[in-house]
Amino acid sequence: MAGERQREIWNGPVAAGLLAVRAPLDAAVRPYGLAAMEALRPAVGERALDVGCGVGETTRELAGRVGPSGAALGVDVAERFVEVARRESAGCSNAEYLHADAQSHPFPDGFDLCYSRFGLMFFEDPPAAFRNLRGALRPAGRLAAVVWGPPASCAWVELPLRVLRGHRPGAGGPSTSGPGPFSLSDAAALARLAEGAGFAQVRVEALDLPFRCGDGVEAAADFLVRFGPAAAALREAGGEGERLRPVVAAELRELLAPWAGARGVELPSAALLLTAATP
């Protein structure tokens, strides 16, 4: 995350909105984060940097894997997230948090690991940010990060937008350029970005994992009108959006019914797993 505009966004209503859906959001994204964690292979005694750490779940996971002889530093541009992370990590002595802009913060070099769960897509200058993260790693350091794939392949994006457009035909789809959830959704471009920053052994692979929206259709519909591009469009619509929210949720419940199963409501989704190393 980076830049004055992103600092304003992430220290405004966006942070409050994400905290309000924290539990279902964590359930939805946890499998993707674990896939990146397994690819990273943290070892006891290593030092890890967690970029876009949010409220600290992933930083604590890293801290547990590197053990007391290692350390994990979580960094996020959202001050409220960092406050929550510090409070909830009080008993985790090898996890620390930094409220900073990972694009430009002068990290000390010597980290063994750089990890991110959906935290790399909001940089205003991605080449500069990737170079900065590359500089924070020691030689033979490792990077593993997960980002969203193409929005058209994410049903949790498309289904709510389809319903919303029935009421607001002008509601556009999410952008794949500039800072935003889908700015790194092109696998080839993501690989070039990492290579251009000086990373080696760059690999980008698809993660076709289900996106779990809730235990049932009611919970899932409520979540999807509060998280994602359709939720953002509803917020931007002001009073009209608030009026439409329950209407969209009700129609969504019908669309989500075929996706409900024993494990809850799971929708097809697409993500990309980036792994790389420093020479």
Side-chain angles (χ1 to χ4, degrees):
M1 299 180 183
E4 187 60 36
R5 176 58 180 155
Q6 289 302 303
R7 281 190 287 271
E8 291 175 2
I9 290 172
W10 289 94
N11 288 287
V14 169
L18 291 179
L19 287 172
V21 295
R22 177 181 171 182
L25 178 58
D26 183 60
V29 301
R30 181 169 173 76
Y32 301 91
L34 287 176
M37 194 81 68
E38 294 301 324
L40 191 63
R41 306 183 315 280
V44 171
E46 291 188 312
R47 296 180 63 225
L49 176 63
D50 184 5
V51 181
C53 66
V55 293
E57 295 104 339
T58 50
T59 310
R60 290 190 291 275
E61 176 77 16
L62 285 166
R65 295 196 182 206
V66 300
S69 61
L73 175 65
V75 58
D76 205 291
V77 76
E79 187 171 13
R80 290 189 64 181
F81 290 169
V82 172
E83 290 172 353
V84 173
R86 286 173 175 157
R87 184 170 62 248
E88 296 186 356
S89 301
C92 187
S93 61
N94 64 332
E96 296 184 355
Y97 298 92
L98 178 67
H99 173 226
D101 180 345
Q103 176 174 296
S104 56
H105 182 77
F107 295 107
D109 59 10
F111 284 99
D112 301 286
L113 312 171
C114 182
Y115 171 90
S116 184
R117 183 183 75 178
F118 300 119
L120 299 184
M121 305 93 69
F122 303 96
F123 293 123
E124 291 183 355
D125 187 345
F130 271 64
R131 288 193 299 270
N132 196 43
L133 298 179
R134 158 70 182 84
L137 287 169
R138 65 169 179 80
R142 307 190 301 283
L143 164 72
V146 62
V147 302
W148 291 121
S153 298
C154 297
W156 60 271
V157 173
E158 290 299 304
L159 287 180
L161 282 175
R162 184 190 309 170
V163 174
L164 179 58
R165 287 170 184 146
H167 301 274
R168 291 180 65 87
S175 174
T176 56
S177 63
F182 302 97
S183 65
L184 300 180
S185 59
D186 183 312
L190 178 58
R192 289 194 299 270
L193 181 62
E195 290 165 351
F199 284 99
Q201 302 173 41
V202 175
R203 181 179 179 185
V204 178
E205 58 184 293
L207 283 181
D208 294 318
L209 298 173
F211 185 90
R212 188 181 187 279
C213 305
D215 292 334
V217 294
E218 185 168 348
D222 182 70
F223 174 52
L224 292 176
V225 295
R226 299 184 184 279
F227 171 77
L234 287 167
R235 284 195 302 273
E236 292 167 5
E240 175 67 5
E242 287 303 308
R243 184 190 70 79
L244 280 175
R245 193 184 306 276
V247 177
V248 173
E251 294 181 25
L252 255 181
R253 288 196 286 271
E254 296 184 17
L255 283 181
L256 293 172
W259 304 101
R263 295 184 300 184
V265 178
E266 295 183 323
L267 295 177
S269 187
L272 300 174
L273 173 60
L274 166 68
T275 55
T278 49

